[in-house]
Amino acid sequence: MPKRKTDRRAFKQRRKGFFSKTELAEWLGVSRNSVAAIGERFGIREIENLFPEADVWRKILGIDPRHEEDRVLLRRPLQDSTWFASQTGIPPSTIRAKIREGTLEYPHGVQLSEESEAGGPPRSRRWVACVIEALADGKTAPAFSPAVSVNAPSAPVQDGGGEAAQASRLNVFAQIVHGNAEGAAQ
């Protein structure tokens, strides 16, 4: 059996602007079999067996990159809690607890799956590498433009906050944009 590729730093798309199912799985850090469920949850359309990267970024991350520099940063694979822990020094269990409590001082990332039927916390949360690296180094995180229309997953809204509130809880970039706007207002 071939050895599984674990170094995702060399990730490259074959067709600029599109992810194949295998590439999207690698970019998300999930198995190829999970892509269909994630695509359905976020409403990502598949065109001729390809996923437009702009659609992926808009619906999963809630942003519309306006410049090529933003696109280059976003083409880096999303990272999991183990990577996040190594960058920040916060243990994965503490990260999950702080997210549940709402006390994590970093963006909460994007949750790719729903909670399990057993009620345990889902472990498919992913972070955008350039954002966490900048914040962990004490620098300003890249500011990306929010998507005009965020197609959030159809999970029920508990607090009556509406689609915009739900979308901001689900994606890292809505949190960053909201945080940058609050910081500018102060």
Side-chain angles (χ1 to χ4, degrees):
M1 183 188 294
K3 189 174 182 178
R4 184 173 177 187
K5 184 171 136 183
T6 57
D7 184 8
R8 296 179 354 173
R9 290 178 291 191
F11 173 77
K12 268 196 160 204
Q13 293 166 254
R14 289 183 60 207
R15 294 185 70 188
K16 194 171 184 176
F18 294 92
F19 292 107
S20 69
K21 185 179 266 187
T22 302
E23 291 167 344
L24 185 55
E26 188 174 345
W27 184 80
L28 292 168
V30 299
S31 74
R32 191 174 188 280
N33 294 337
S34 301
V35 170
I38 293 169
E40 185 177 319
R41 179 168 191 250
F42 286 93
I44 300 170
R45 67 181 195 265
E46 187 174 357
I47 303 169
E48 299 288 327
N49 297 317
L50 296 171
F51 300 88
E53 66 183 13
D55 201 37
V56 170
W57 296 332
R58 186 177 303 113
K59 293 180 179 177
I60 292 181
L61 302 177
I63 57 109
D64 272 326
R66 304 269 189 246
H67 307 287
E68 185 57 28
E69 297 83 29
D70 292 348
R71 291 180 194 93
V72 169
L73 291 173
L74 292 174
R75 286 185 182 118
R76 289 181 57 195
L78 298 181
Q79 299 294 330
D80 64 9
S81 61
T82 303
W83 176 89
F84 182 89
S86 73
Q87 295 296 306
T88 62
I90 305 169
S93 59
T94 304
I95 292 167
R96 287 189 293 276
K98 286 181 175 263
I99 289 171
R100 275 192 305 274
E101 297 163 0
T103 60
L104 186 66
E105 294 178 0
Y106 288 90
H108 290 191
V110 62
Q111 183 60 50
L112 298 177
S113 68
E114 297 179 29
E115 282 194 33
S116 67
E117 289 183 20
R123 295 179 184 236
S124 60
R125 187 170 300 273
R126 300 291 184 265
W127 284 268
V128 177
C130 63
V131 172
I132 301 306
E133 289 168 344
L135 294 173
D137 288 341
K139 298 176 183 171
T140 302
F144 299 95
S145 300
V148 175
S149 173
V150 176
N151 224 2
S154 56
V157 177
Q158 303 284 330
D159 62 4
E163 184 177 323
Q166 179 182 356
S168 68
R169 285 192 306 276
L170 291 171
N171 73 66
V172 65
F173 287 106
Q175 294 171 8
I176 291 169
V177 170
H178 181 69
N180 286 347
E182 284 180 352
Q186 293 176 355

